[in-house]
Amino acid sequence: MNALLKRLGLRPENPGVFGGEWIGSGPVVERVSPIDGQSIALVREATAKDYEMAVARAAKAFVNWRLTPAPVRGETVRQLGNALRDVKSHLARLVAIETGKIIVEAEGEVQEMIDICDFAVGLSRQLYGLTIASERRGHRLMEQWHPLGAVGVITAFNFPVAVWSWNAALASVCGDSVVWKPSEKTALCAIAVTRIAERVCRATGADPAIFSLIVGDGKTVGRRMAEDRRLPLISATGSCAMGRAVAQAVARRTGRTLLELGGNNAVIVTPSADLDLAARGIFFGAVGTAGQRCTTTRRVIVHRSVEKALRERLVGAYRSLRIGNPLDRSNLMGPLINHDAVVSVGKAMRQLERQGGKVIYGGEPLGGPEYPGGCYMIPCIATARSDVSIVKEETFGPLLYLIPYDDLEEAITMQNDVPQGLSSGIFTNDLREAERFVSVSGSDCGIANINAGTSGAEIGGAFGGEKDTGGGRESGSDAWKNYMRRQTNTVNFSGDLPLAQGIQFGE
């Protein structure tokens, strides 16, 4: 452990605030691993004074960074991607240790960081505006994009490094600085990444404060960020309740938000579906990251004619699942983030049973020498009705509901009849069913997949959802526009001053 921490620039006690220099004068918090409950290292969190220093430095760094040519900004991000390549295995191991995520998923998360850096480097030469025909003789209209400012980024524990990179890589090539508030549960991952970014900035001559960090609780850091006019955009990933609080605070100062909130994702399985393919997609979607993804498959809406066959396949897959230390590559599921998460899933199961549902497999906590720390459990499969309240909530853990349906219209209605709208999928070999699902009257989610599960989004496509999921989009497509301000220019190259819409004013 000590060698790993040293390789990533971490110490037994680490300051949790960076704004060009490392400080931290708040409370010292111990970070323990959900793998075994053992201490990893200490983190000194932020005070209000620390917060002020970091945001002020990030705002100052922006003033110079915005003047740096975008391709030059891209060079810093290119080198950041290369630096991440150099430490991929080490950073992935820390992610696994601090979150309980299995090592192959942790490696995939770091690879996602590398990929988004590559994406952003290309983007640094493609921040295009428009030239627009004017209705006035001797005039031209032009639309251009300018850097926005210091951007606040609030991330959750389940993707402790990737979500920062989605925002930071794009925002920085757009000319913004970034102030990062990570989950306190994964503070060490955030400190390690910020130290990597600091080294890259010093090597390229960029101000290291363009990648600032503030570790602290919601009251000390999160609330201040939401209310801080120096942060024109707050990108927040987390629960729907957290997102609503952030959105309201930012709206009061007329700022912008980019929200990536909860998901209650469904897969529809039709009579024509390849059931083996569907079972594999649902299996990964439901138990990957121990069910702690916003894109986790939580509901399977299955046609009655294939319900029994699909259930048998899923139960068989769950029985074969190896659960244990996530650093062991033979295990496909590690612990949940903490004991409270296990308790939360148990409460949801009991509520489901009170509402007429039935657990058909799993749900038991795991203990003993093989499962130390109190954070392990067997993932659960249950039958349920779509209209009960617990099914409409997001239980952040490995709890999967099987819900029967009779016709596709009913299935789509069931899928859409929840407050969240992030990811969805349909397994079918019927072209009409597939097209219906992705049509305007089909899935109401930001992501709708055909013959693929709800998890596993690629960085080339815009990521995000509708309704209580927040409406934000990160990565892919034109998501870079979130991090810039749009400006329309009128250029008059004539000797006259005609008005638009043919208005005559005076002589």
Side-chain angles (χ1 to χ4, degrees), residues 475-493:
S475 189
S477 188
D478 60 351
W480 59 272
K481 293 179 180 178
N482 290 312
Y483 307 98
M484 304 195 83
R485 59 182 176 89
R486 183 189 301 220
Q487 184 180 83
T488 300
N489 310 123
T490 299
V491 180
N492 180 0
F493 57 91

Side-chain angles (χ1 to χ4, degrees), residues 144-374:
Q144 58 181 335
W145 296 85
H146 292 307
L148 183 62
V151 172
V153 177
I154 300 172
T155 62
F157 74 84
N158 57 332
F159 281 86
V161 293
V163 173
W164 170 83
S165 70
W166 296 349
N167 288 276
L170 269 63
S172 58
V173 298
C174 288
D176 301 330
S177 58
V178 176
V179 179
W180 183 13
K181 182 207 176 299
S183 168
E184 304 98 293
K185 297 172 185 175
T186 51
L188 292 172
C189 289
I191 293 169
V193 168
T194 303
R195 287 198 175 275
I196 294 166
E198 177 194 8
R199 291 195 298 272
V200 168
C201 287
R202 296 197 188 282
T204 61
D207 187 336
I210 62 172
F211 297 118
S212 293
L213 173 71
I214 312 177
V215 175
D217 60 25
K219 181 178 180 181
T220 305
V221 182
R223 185 183 302 173
R224 279 186 166 85
M225 289 177 68
E227 296 173 349
D228 198 328
R229 289 184 175 274
R230 294 169 296 181
L231 305 175
L233 170 68
I234 299 294
S235 174
T237 301
S239 70
C240 295
M242 181 276 285
R244 280 191 289 270
V246 168
Q248 290 168 12
V250 176
R252 280 193 292 269
R253 60 177 174 88
T254 328
R256 299 189 202 174
T257 53
L258 195 168
L259 301 176
E260 297 289 356
L261 309 177
N264 191 354
N265 314 296
V267 164
I268 296 173
V269 181
T270 73
S272 68
D274 180 331
L275 295 185
D276 291 331
L277 186 69
R280 292 201 303 273
I282 294 164
F283 181 51
F284 171 73
V287 305
T289 321
Q292 299 170 120
R293 289 176 176 236
C294 55
T295 55
T296 290
T297 305
R298 307 198 181 279
R299 298 174 293 143
V300 175
I301 301 169
V302 55
H303 194 271
R304 292 185 191 276
S305 65
V306 294
E307 179 185 8
K308 181 179 178 182
L310 180 66
R311 181 191 304 186
E312 290 174 350
R313 284 169 169 80
L314 288 174
V315 171
Y318 273 53
R319 289 188 189 282
S320 70
L321 178 67
R322 288 181 59 91
I323 304 170
N325 189 318
L327 299 176
D328 181 343
R329 292 181 181 273
S330 66
N331 291 326
L332 296 181
M333 179 174 156
L336 277 67
I337 187 63
N338 54 31
H339 177 66
D340 289 346
V342 178
V343 172
S344 177
V345 176
K347 288 181 178 178
M349 289 166 51
R350 290 189 292 274
Q351 184 176 344
L352 173 70
E353 289 174 329
R354 290 194 298 271
Q355 295 178 355
K358 181 181 180 181
V359 173
I360 60 174
Y361 180 82
E364 302 88 356
L366 293 170
E370 190 178 355
Y371 304 104

Side-chain angles (χ1 to χ4, degrees), residues 424-451:
S424 59
I426 187 170
F427 283 87
T428 179
N429 284 322
D430 185 318
L431 178 61
R432 289 173 298 181
E433 288 180 333
E435 290 292 338
R436 172 74 171 82
F437 183 73
V438 296
S439 74
V440 67
S441 59
S443 170
D444 66 359
C445 296
I447 299 169
N449 300 328
I450 298 171
N451 291 326

Side-chain angles (χ1 to χ4, degrees), residues 386-424:
S386 66
D387 59 346
V388 300
S389 63
I390 188 62
V391 172
K392 297 181 186 295
E393 299 174 13
E394 180 190 35
T395 300
F396 212 62
L399 174 55
L400 180 69
Y401 304 116
L402 300 184
I403 304 166
Y405 81 91
D406 293 305
D407 64 73
L408 186 62
E409 292 300 318
E410 178 190 18
I412 291 174
T413 298
M414 288 179 180
Q415 180 205 279
N416 293 344
D417 189 26
V418 294
Q420 310 85 0
L422 178 53
S423 187
S424 59

Side-chain angles (χ1 to χ4, degrees), residues 111-166:
Q111 185 61 49
E112 194 167 348
M113 300 178 76
I114 296 166
D115 293 344
I116 196 65
C117 285
D118 289 349
F119 181 89
V121 172
L123 177 64
S124 69
R125 294 181 181 271
Q126 300 179 76
L127 302 175
Y128 299 138
L130 298 171
T131 298
I132 307 163
S134 173
E135 66 183 67
R136 290 172 283 181
R137 185 186 298 272
H139 284 61
R140 176 170 63 86
L141 296 181
M142 180 173 69
E143 182 182 89
Q144 58 181 335
W145 296 85
H146 292 307
L148 183 62
V151 172
V153 177
I154 300 172
T155 62
F157 74 84
N158 57 332
F159 281 86
V161 293
V163 173
W164 170 83
S165 70
W166 296 349

